[in-house]
Amino acid sequence: MDNTDAADRPPATTSSWTGAQAVAQVIATQQEPVVYGMPGGHTMQIYDALYTLRDRVEVSLVRQESVATVMAEARGRLTGRPAFVIGQGAWVLGNAGIGIMEAHLGASPVVLLIDATDGGSFSHQGPYQAGYGGHGAYDLAAALKAITKQTFVANDATQALQMTQLAVKHAVTGEPGPVAVVFHSRALFGRIDTATQPPSYLGRVDPATTPRLATEAMIDSAAQLLRTAERPVVIAGNGVRLAQAEGGLAAFADALDVPVATTPAGKGTFPENHALAVGVMGSFGHETANRVVGEADVLVVVGSKLGASDTANANPQLIDLGRQRLVHIDVESLNVSWIWPSDVAVLGDAGDSLPRLRKAVGTARFDGRERVAAARASCGYFDRDPASGQSELSGRDVVAVLSADLPEDAVVTCDAGENRLFVLREFQSKAGGTVLQPNGGGGMGYAIPSAMAAAALRPGRRIVAVCGDGGYSMTLTALMSAVELGLKLTVVVLDNGVLGWVHSGQRGRVIASTLSDFDYGGIAAAMGAESRRASTVEEFREALGASARASGVFVIVARTSTKDRYQDIMSSLNTDDVYAVLGEDMEP
């Protein structure tokens, strides 16, 4: 209940504001508001309204709209609060789908404020760039609905203000996600009519946006089930990060002596050098994780949907609810029992639920450290022998050097493809640090923009983006923006001259997967970044040390071998290489 005195409440808006000015004011009322984007079309009116609010709103120009949406997605994932993407609708739709899709599938809060460049009274005549549907125009709102949690269409100034407020609310309520507001030109140019339109209040705090809290009955039921367990295991997903519940997870595991596995999306939410850590589970997970999860009698799943890649395509050696019981903690009821029927559903924020559950379980302990130590001794952990030779540099070895040499609180981001698997398996996350990967759509071109968001959010920390030569080429615009924004980050390019996952899956029948040899370091230097080239582990380690002393963007091009393949990282539960071509003599 809002107990604020009426005299202290934010005032209703006045008719002197245009819709664009009202939208800018809504942005300014948010906590540490950040805008990424590129002015264009009628959104120039919003940018103009932000001009007088520059002391309250951080506005960053990027070179291409995809950079803006990925930066917003990563910032939302790290903070739990939505950043704003503002740009012309045609180009946000045409260029920026990667970040929107990642936010939608990976549950990151983002608010997209875009125009349809409608053409005013000429909208029905298919004017240039028009996006309001109908003959001769594309349907911007319909297209965005496919990749957002919610899309609003604002047709007047009051709707512009209130739908922007609603977008923030929808982006963070329940399972987070991207929400778009598509503005008709009259919504931005027109003025609020307080005489005929609904009242609007700035700075309103809606109780619905506060974290969902589990009931005592849910917590008690989960505690009762846990107390009957012999070999419980926690499975931590990306929801732990979104709830900023890493500390609560560590305290829970320590207090109850319970092993912790993470899903690929949850990597970085629990330190993998902890005595209770078993690493990443699933199709490309650590054997230690799959062993300990498979032997568990109770699974405590926190902030994960337990999708197919998490569970090695529902492999019964990993999860089998005929012999295991499931406690599922999530803010979204649709995620609980979505695939796996839970014995106890705890519908609530992980940051609130884990400490309460820890207290309710009481003094029970579950021999987690002993179980983890036995599994590591049997299956191995982060102890693979180096594979680099005098004339060949292993990409997996490059990531292992990052794991060994970076400070514990480093933030590492990666692209899709084999480089992502190298990071999943070879980079050992530590307390205070984290790993961001494209966990929804799995798009190449994610690593550098997401690292930019981390560098802007956490200056002074080591931020490293890992990508292949293919993904690097896709995000040269991001590299330019990183230099322009004065960010300090390191980009590691695993340059093996091929599209790694595709090339490995072609089984020697190579077509459309080889890349020409470019001077990627020279390109970076021409943009104003520093660069080094490395062909050995020693050269890479030296370059990494030099990057720590740099003041801005530093690109390390590691000339790696093609001998590292995704097939070598497939877990023993992933028995069928569905990612490869069939070949001439192979049947489905």
Side-chain angles (χ1 to χ4, degrees):
M1 183 174 180
D2 187 358
N3 294 319
T4 305
D5 186 89
D8 297 327
R9 291 176 183 169
T13 56
T14 69
S15 58
S16 63
W17 280 351
T18 65
Q21 291 169 332
V23 169
Q25 292 289 338
V26 172
I27 294 171
T29 64
Q30 306 306 309
Q31 182 180 354
E32 298 179 353
V34 172
V35 171
Y36 302 122
M38 181 181 292
H42 298 317
T43 65
M44 288 181 63
Q45 305 305 313
I46 304 176
Y47 277 97
D48 183 69
L50 288 169
Y51 181 82
T52 58
L53 300 171
R54 300 191 309 282
D55 60 331
R56 296 165 58 189
V57 181
E58 179 185 335
V59 179
S60 296
L61 169 67
V62 297
R63 289 278 181 156
Q64 206 245 24
E65 290 83 359
S66 65
V67 181
T69 58
V70 174
M71 289 184 72
E73 187 278 336
R75 189 179 183 98
R77 202 190 306 190
L78 288 169
T79 66
R81 300 190 303 273
F84 295 86
V85 174
I86 305 180
Q88 190 169 3
W91 310 122
V92 171
L93 176 65
N95 292 334
I98 174 176
I100 304 171
M101 184 168 59
E102 280 301 324
H104 185 43
L105 298 177
S108 293
V110 174
V111 172
L112 308 159
L113 303 178
I114 58 180
D115 79 317
T117 318
D118 51 272
S121 299
F122 294 91
S123 296
H124 62 293
Q125 295 183 9
Y128 177 62
Q129 298 182 334
Y132 258 101
H135 182 64
Y138 66 98
D139 195 333
L140 177 61
L144 283 171
K145 286 178 181 178
I147 55 173
T148 60
K149 180 180 177 182
Q150 178 71 44
T151 294
F152 297 100
V153 177
N155 288 299
D156 62 38
T158 294
Q159 287 187 340
L161 185 155
Q162 294 186 351
M163 287 181 175
T164 302
Q165 292 174 318
L166 285 171
V168 174
K169 175 180 177 179
H170 280 249
V172 298
T173 301
E175 181 179 74
V179 179
V181 183
V182 180
F183 298 102
H184 193 283
S185 59
R186 60 176 171 264
L188 296 176
F189 287 96
R191 296 189 181 277
I192 293 174
D193 186 349
T194 57
T196 62
Q197 295 176 343
S200 300
Y201 296 88
L202 285 174
R204 60 184 298 171
V205 178
D206 192 320
T209 63
T210 59
R212 171 179 284 172
L213 305 183
T215 66
E216 289 297 330
M218 292 174 181
I219 297 295
D220 289 343
S221 295
Q224 289 175 22
L225 179 55
L226 259 176
R227 282 194 291 267
T228 68
E230 294 182 1
R231 299 176 307 281
V233 171
V234 174
I235 297 173
N238 186 52
V240 173
R241 179 183 290 108
L242 289 168
Q244 300 185 39
E246 293 92 338
L249 173 61
F252 180 90
D254 274 326
L256 303 183
D257 198 18
V258 178
V260 178
T262 71
T263 65
K267 184 178 175 75
T269 60
F270 190 79
E272 291 172 323
N273 61 344
H274 192 288
L276 288 167
V278 294
V280 176
M281 63 182 280
S283 300
F284 293 95
H286 294 94
E287 297 296 341
T288 300
N290 289 342
R291 167 76 66 86
V292 172
V293 171
E295 292 177 347
D297 60 347
V298 172
L299 307 174
V300 181
V301 179
V302 187
S304 172
K305 300 173 186 176
L306 287 184
S309 60
D310 301 329
T311 62
N313 290 326
N315 192 306
Q317 296 181 61
L318 189 62
I319 297 181
D320 179 356
L321 297 189
R323 59 183 175 82
Q324 296 168 316
R325 290 175 294 174
L326 175 61
V327 174
H328 202 155
I329 303 173
D330 205 287
V331 296
E332 175 54 70
S333 59
L334 293 175
N335 292 340
V336 176
S337 296
W338 175 31
I339 300 169
W340 306 93
S342 57
D343 294 275
V344 178
V346 179
L347 300 179
D349 178 78
D352 172 76
S353 299
L354 285 171
R356 292 168 60 197
L357 181 57
R358 182 189 76 211
K359 182 177 179 180
V361 172
T363 59
R365 299 292 182 273
F366 299 103
D367 301 320
R369 285 170 172 79
E370 289 79 2
R371 287 189 281 143
V372 171
R376 289 183 184 179
S378 175
C379 301
Y381 196 40
F382 286 93
D383 49 9
R384 178 187 60 87
D385 292 331
S388 298
Q390 275 195 323
S391 59
E392 290 184 330
L393 177 60
S394 161
R396 296 177 70 179
D397 287 355
V398 167
V399 176
V401 171
L402 292 175
S403 182
D405 289 10
L406 288 176
E408 291 194 350
D409 64 352
V411 178
V412 173
T413 70
C414 56
D415 256 7
E418 286 180 333
N419 71 89
R420 169 179 170 266
L421 302 184
F422 300 163
V423 172
L424 283 177
R425 287 289 292 272
E426 309 299 344
F427 186 82
Q428 189 174 33
S429 64
K430 317 292 194 306
T434 199
V435 175
L436 297 182
Q437 57 156 325
N439 61 60
M444 293 171 66
Y446 179 85
I448 297 177
S450 58
M452 291 168 60
L457 183 65
R458 298 176 177 173
R461 298 269 289 273
R462 287 301 305 277
I463 312 295
V464 178
V466 180
C467 58
D469 39 348
Y472 178 79
S473 304
M474 294 179 183
T475 45
L476 292 176
T477 50
L479 204 64
M480 295 174 72
S481 294
V483 172
E484 286 182 318
L485 294 172
L487 300 175
K488 176 177 170 56
L489 59 95
T490 300
V491 178
V492 176
V493 184
L494 303 181
D495 178 13
N496 61 3
V498 298
L499 296 174
W501 197 308
V502 175
H503 189 268
S504 295
Q506 288 177 334
R507 304 179 189 267
R509 297 165 57 83
V510 176
I511 180 171
S513 63
T514 56
L515 302 171
S516 298
D517 187 13
F518 285 91
D519 183 1
Y520 296 121
I523 294 170
M527 295 179 182
E530 295 185 60
S531 69
R532 288 278 187 93
R533 189 183 179 98
S535 299
T536 66
V537 169
E538 293 74 18
E539 288 177 353
F540 178 76
R541 177 166 275 124
E542 181 183 348
L544 185 63
S547 73
R549 299 185 292 273
S551 59
V553 179
F554 195 105
V555 175
I556 305 173
V557 180
R559 296 302 298 264
T560 56
S561 166
T562 58
K563 290 188 176 181
D564 290 315
R565 307 176 311 142
Y566 73 79
Q567 289 94 339
D568 302 326
I569 306 178
M570 289 167 60
S571 78
S572 61
L573 301 182
N574 198 359
T575 56
D576 186 13
D577 187 3
V578 299
Y579 311 98
V581 299
L582 293 175
E584 288 182 325
D585 304 319
M586 303 178 70
E587 295 182 358

